[in-house]
Amino acid sequence: MEVEVKLRLADANAHRHVTTLLSPFHVVTHRQQNLFFDGSASELSARRAVLRLRFYGDDERCVVSLKARAVLVDGVSRVEEDEEDLDPRIGRECVAEPGKLGSVESRVLGRVKEEFGIEKGLVGLGGFGNVRNVYDWKGLKLEVDETKFDFGTLYEIECESADPEGAKRLLEEFLKENEIDYSYSTASKFAIFRSGKLP
């Protein structure tokens, strides 16, 4: 179970303010492309699951993820997640021809076939780009995202934690002290992508 604090930043100015304040704690920046898939009969989405291929940079890395039964309440997300690395070249072939996902040797993709009964193959749903700045701040790993959808840009702070309420409290104190406008995230990036509009 992945448990994350998710706080939405109001706009580009709030994002810039946060990244400037956190710059002494910067660890790495990831340029990500997130692409999503479902069964041709919506077998995954019908059971509140999502299959994602995430590419990093110039295809240095590809990660396949299966997420299921996500719940997001008061800025804390809980989701079942299973992921593993996939050869980026194979990942790109599957993006071009989603039907190939069914024949790739992968524990996660095997689960998709077995648990969701994908009979007629997988179809691509599209996706979005994300620039993720990672910070090591007060013992927390903060991920500050700038997510570019076709219909707008979303700014968000994510922080995976075994103590989400404690992490949320620290983050909210930091944002309030620095007069940064934020709110609790109310939907996952995938849900926003599927809705076709920013919340």
Side-chain angles (χ1 to χ4, degrees):
M1 176 78 64
E2 177 187 63
V3 181
E4 287 183 316
V5 177
K6 291 180 178 267
L7 302 178
R8 181 176 178 193
L9 299 170
D11 53 28
N13 287 334
H15 177 267
R16 193 169 20 263
H17 195 173
V18 167
T19 56
T20 299
L21 289 168
L22 290 175
S23 62
F25 310 100
H26 184 259
V27 176
V28 67
T29 297
H30 295 296
R31 291 182 186 348
Q32 304 169 334
Q33 183 185 27
N34 298 283
L35 299 165
F36 299 90
F37 302 85
D38 200 349
S40 57
S42 302
E43 294 93 337
L44 293 169
S45 55
R47 291 176 51 196
R48 294 180 45 227
V50 62
L51 178 66
R52 177 188 71 203
L53 289 183
R54 173 176 282 166
F55 294 90
Y56 289 81
D58 293 320
D59 292 354
E60 298 98 44
R61 184 176 181 210
C62 175
V63 177
V64 58
S65 302
L66 175 63
K67 295 187 173 205
R69 293 181 276 289
V71 177
L72 179 55
V73 177
D74 294 334
V76 177
S77 167
R78 289 175 170 80
V79 62
E80 294 175 20
E81 182 179 45
D82 190 8
E83 63 183 23
E84 68 181 328
D85 279 80
L86 190 66
D87 181 322
R89 185 182 47 77
I90 292 171
R92 284 294 175 197
E93 289 173 8
C94 293
V95 170
E97 294 180 55
K100 287 187 173 183
L101 283 163
S103 61
V104 173
E105 285 295 320
S106 158
R107 178 182 47 76
V108 171
L109 293 170
R111 280 190 61 201
V112 169
K113 284 190 291 192
E114 291 168 23
E115 294 176 28
F116 295 90
I118 305 291
E119 296 295 324
K120 297 184 178 172
L122 291 156
V123 294
L125 303 175
F128 51 82
N130 187 51
V131 177
R132 171 166 286 173
N133 286 295
V134 180
Y135 304 90
D136 185 359
W137 178 79
K138 296 195 176 187
L140 300 172
K141 178 182 173 186
L142 302 185
E143 298 171 332
V144 182
D145 290 345
E146 178 181 4
T147 307
K148 294 194 181 289
F149 300 102
D150 289 341
F151 46 84
T153 304
L154 177 83
Y155 304 95
E156 187 175 52
I157 300 175
E158 294 185 358
C159 177
E160 192 170 344
S161 176
D163 176 19
E165 293 305 321
K168 186 169 75 167
R169 187 173 54 254
L170 270 176
L171 280 168
E172 288 192 90
E173 287 170 4
F174 166 74
L175 295 169
K176 287 174 184 171
E177 282 170 13
N178 290 287
E179 299 178 348
I180 297 168
D181 195 10
Y182 75 96
S183 59
Y184 294 156
S185 295
T186 57
S188 70
K189 290 180 184 79
F190 176 71
I192 293 166
F193 162 68
R194 293 295 279 168
S195 77
K197 62 183 189 294
L198 294 174

